[in-house]
Amino acid sequence: MKKLFLYILIAFALSSCYKDKGNYDYVDVNVVNISGVDSLYTVDYGSVFTLRPDLSFTLDATKDTGSYTYLWVAAITNTGNTIDNDTLAYSHDLEARITLPSGQYTVIYRVTDKNTGISYSKRFLMAVVTSVYEGWVLLSEVNANSRLDMLSKGVNGYKPIYDVLGSIGAGLTLTGKPVDVKFARTTAAITGHTVYVSTTNGTSRLDGETFKFKSPLQTDVFSTLPTGFYADKVTQRSSATMYLHGNDNNMYYYMYTFNIYFGLPVNVMYGKSVPFKVSKYIGYVDNSAGSTEVHVLYNEDEKRFVRHIYSLPANCTDMPAGTRFSFTTGKDLRFMETTRFNSGDTYAILDSLHQKYYLARFNVAATIAQTYYEELLATDFTKAENIAIHPDLGYVFYNVGGKLYEYDISTKATKLMIDYGQKSVSFLKCDGFMGITTVAAKAYYNKLQVGVYDPSLPAESAGSFELYTVPPVNGNLVLSESYTGFGKIKTVTYRER
């Protein structure tokens, strides 16, 4: 062992005396500096984006552009989307027509010195937007046909685009009376964003980024739909989960995560084979986190609530026993909507022989808990045409012709909020957003949305869209925004971002 240690010591001593004869003469290399590029650019879809960066070189006084190669590449910053061709240019300057899907991209400009092979790069963000990138989408009736309009969000607010399908050349002409329009996310990816438009002549799917016609609804359904079918209501509680109610009185279910696609009707009680007639309204848990994934449907044949669970996708099952009322109501369902009020109460208005109406509330969460059941004593409610529930205050809004009422469920008092005279209210709604984290949702989820129709004006411009702030303690409505020039508004959705 001592000899081994001595040999190691000698070897170390000899190596420390070794003279390093390597060549350590340093040579300066040509460094490329890139300037004249901002951190963010907003580019209209289909436009030519021109960018001329400034290049300086530490060892190239001639600035010979032929001594370098250039590359411009774009990569989507959103998750869940891939781009087949993300190369924008191979030139010193960028001058390219941008046809990438709308969204935010990281663009890399790379300059490589041919002599050294060393590359230098500059990064920046590019937001690709379209005229239909974000905003309110309104489906109206004009001379017994349908027209799709949009309030497009821009840097200076919302700008109306009348007949948006015609203005962008969508490849679709709507015929028949308006029924429903709904922005939906079939998947979390941008490519899964879509807009369903329904008229009495059918349902079409639009590309969510361009609003171009994509396909008829039948393409999305794994069963043969009956002749003359259209979707009269699409409900989506969260991304990639949807319910679609058809004019055949059936409900169809979609859940991308578990590869469940629109197919056979799900309004079939477990153990039976014949579908029951189902209402178009859906109740659900407001917050998907920790939920039981329960959705509540209404069996119109047996006049009772039933539940549909993703783990039993082909059937419905009985509701639990109620603590305030029986889920087998024996009444017709006039209206149902899940709200953000009281941590997600579902409001259901029940019609007893068109003589009395009852308001039932229940919360769909870890369990289905009933929270309220009382007769609805609102003025002239038998004549109510459109209904909306305020998400923060729980008020019931409804209209009778041109009279807009607010019903306070706590005091059971009705207040006439607005009398439009000879005009009529064609549309009422609150919320409609999937979440309230986006800028638009924060600003508008608790606004009362009102469609007003003036029969004295030309049909193509007789409608207006109004947004009201709803004060507490039954305060008067405060008009916050108003837009005109629409047809008779039937329904509205928001193209979210």
Side-chain angles (χ1 to χ4, degrees):
M1 178 64 74
K2 292 181 179 179
K3 289 183 179 181
L4 177 61
F5 178 75
L6 182 60
Y7 292 151
I8 294 174
L9 185 62
I10 294 172
F12 177 77
L14 291 174
S15 65
S16 63
C17 296
Y18 174 76
K19 185 176 182 181
D20 187 352
K21 297 180 181 180
N23 181 6
Y24 288 95
D25 293 332
Y26 292 96
V27 178
D28 291 335
V29 296
N30 180 39
V31 176
V32 181
N33 296 305
I34 305 171
S35 60
V37 178
D38 292 337
S39 60
L40 173 66
Y41 294 89
T42 300
V43 182
D44 290 330
Y45 175 87
S47 67
V48 175
F49 180 33
T50 302
L51 187 57
R52 306 187 190 282
D54 296 322
L55 303 183
S56 61
F57 312 93
T58 58
L59 295 180
D60 184 0
T62 65
K63 297 184 179 181
D64 181 13
T65 57
S67 299
Y68 307 90
T69 62
Y70 309 92
L71 177 65
W72 299 81
V73 293
I76 190 73
T77 55
N78 307 59
T79 59
N81 190 23
T82 58
I83 300 171
D84 296 329
N85 183 7
D86 59 0
T87 300
L88 302 178
Y90 293 98
S91 53
H92 178 287
D93 298 333
L94 175 63
E95 189 167 349
R97 187 172 300 279
I98 303 301
T99 57
L100 299 171
S102 56
Q104 184 166 278
Y105 296 81
T106 298
V107 179
I108 302 173
Y109 174 48
R110 181 172 294 130
V111 180
T112 303
D113 189 328
K114 292 180 181 179
N115 296 320
T116 63
I118 300 176
S119 297
Y120 303 87
S121 61
K122 184 78 172 182
R123 292 172 178 258
F124 61 92
L125 296 177
M126 177 179 69
V128 180
V129 299
T130 68
S131 60
V132 296
Y133 184 75
E134 180 182 349
W136 299 98
V137 184
L138 307 93
L139 184 62
S140 302
E141 180 179 344
V142 177
N143 296 322
N145 273 309
S146 298
R147 192 181 79 193
L148 196 67
D149 302 323
M150 187 171 187
L151 286 168
S152 176
K153 184 180 181 181
V155 294
N156 297 317
Y158 290 85
K159 177 183 178 181
I161 304 175
Y162 305 116
D163 185 19
V164 64
L165 299 182
S167 69
I168 65 170
L172 174 67
T173 300
L174 297 179
T175 60
K177 291 190 175 182
V179 177
D180 189 43
V181 61
K182 177 66 176 177
F183 165 69
R185 294 184 174 103
T186 59
T187 68
I190 288 178
T191 51
H193 293 186
T194 191
V195 176
Y196 288 105
V197 184
S198 293
T199 73
T200 52
N201 285 347
T203 300
S204 300
R205 181 178 177 181
L206 307 179
D207 185 290
E209 296 303 305
T210 64
F211 276 38
K212 301 278 184 153
F213 172 68
K214 194 166 187 176
S215 62
L217 177 63
Q218 179 65 77
T219 306
D220 291 351
V221 180
F222 283 67
S223 63
T224 302
L225 295 172
T227 302
F229 180 92
Y230 58 83
D232 55 18
K233 188 173 179 60
V234 176
T235 302
Q236 184 167 49
R237 61 176 295 278
S238 61
S239 178
T241 300
M242 278 187 292
Y243 284 82
L244 184 152
H245 186 271
N247 63 324
D248 61 348
N249 295 313
N250 285 320
M251 190 73 75
Y252 301 85
Y253 178 57
Y254 171 93
M255 191 177 191
Y256 178 79
T257 306
F258 290 91
N259 296 316
I260 301 170
Y261 300 97
F262 293 132
L264 295 175
V266 300
N267 47 302
V268 180
M269 295 305 297
Y270 182 74
K272 296 185 179 181
S273 58
V274 180
F276 57 82
K277 182 181 178 182
V278 64
S279 168
K280 66 181 180 180
Y281 298 110
I282 297 279
Y284 50 87
V285 59
D286 177 52
N287 185 357
S288 61
S291 77
T292 55
E293 300 290 350
V294 172
H295 290 74
V296 177
L297 282 60
Y298 197 77
N299 183 332
E300 293 188 336
D301 290 333
E302 300 177 359
K303 300 184 187 304
R304 65 185 180 117
F305 294 97
V306 296
R307 55 184 168 183
H308 181 253
I309 308 173
Y310 80 95
S311 58
L312 192 66
N315 298 100
C316 292
T317 59
D318 296 333
M319 295 284 280
T323 56
R324 294 176 178 267
F325 61 93
S326 171
F327 279 118
T328 300
T329 69
K331 300 175 178 63
D332 294 325
L333 181 65
R334 173 65 179 82
F335 173 86
M336 181 164 68
E337 182 175 274
T338 295
T339 73
R340 303 183 198 277
F341 180 71
N342 195 33
S343 300
D345 268 8
T346 292
Y347 276 57
I349 297 176
L350 300 163
D351 178 355
S352 179
L353 303 175
H354 306 300
Q355 296 176 359
K356 291 185 177 182
Y357 290 83
Y358 293 84
L359 174 59
R361 284 168 36 204
F362 52 89
N363 200 292
V364 184
T367 59
I368 300 177
Q370 296 181 349
T371 58
Y372 181 95
Y373 187 76
E374 294 286 347
E375 184 179 351
L376 191 68
L377 300 174
T379 302
D380 282 342
F381 195 80
T382 56
K383 303 174 186 177
E385 298 167 0
N386 300 283
I387 303 171
I389 312 297
H390 194 266
D392 291 341
L393 303 172
Y395 297 149
V396 179
F397 288 95
Y398 65 99
N399 78 285
V400 178
K403 294 182 177 180
L404 175 58
Y405 293 99
E406 175 189 275
Y407 179 74
D408 188 328
I409 61 175
S410 300
T411 63
K412 297 185 180 179
T414 303
K415 180 178 178 179
L416 176 62
M417 304 303 283
I418 300 175
D419 188 345
Y420 288 100
Q422 296 303 310
K423 301 176 185 178
S424 62
V425 174
S426 63
F427 168 78
L428 273 183
K429 187 178 180 181
C430 287
D431 206 344
F433 295 89
M434 281 190 218
I436 53 174
T437 58
T438 65
V439 173
K442 288 178 181 178
Y444 293 113
Y445 86 95
N446 59 2
K447 295 289 189 292
L448 178 63
Q449 307 162 30
V450 184
V452 181
Y453 175 69
D454 186 348
S456 68
L457 296 176
E460 63 272 13
S461 58
S464 59
F465 181 58
E466 301 177 348
L467 294 162
Y468 287 92
T469 298
V470 180
V473 201
N474 311 117
N476 293 330
L477 297 177
V478 179
L479 181 64
S480 58
E481 296 177 41
S482 180
Y483 304 90
T484 60
F486 307 103
K488 188 176 183 179
I489 299 172
K490 169 68 175 179
T491 183
V492 177
T493 189
Y494 194 93
R495 200 306 177 204
E496 298 183 48
R497 287 291 173 182

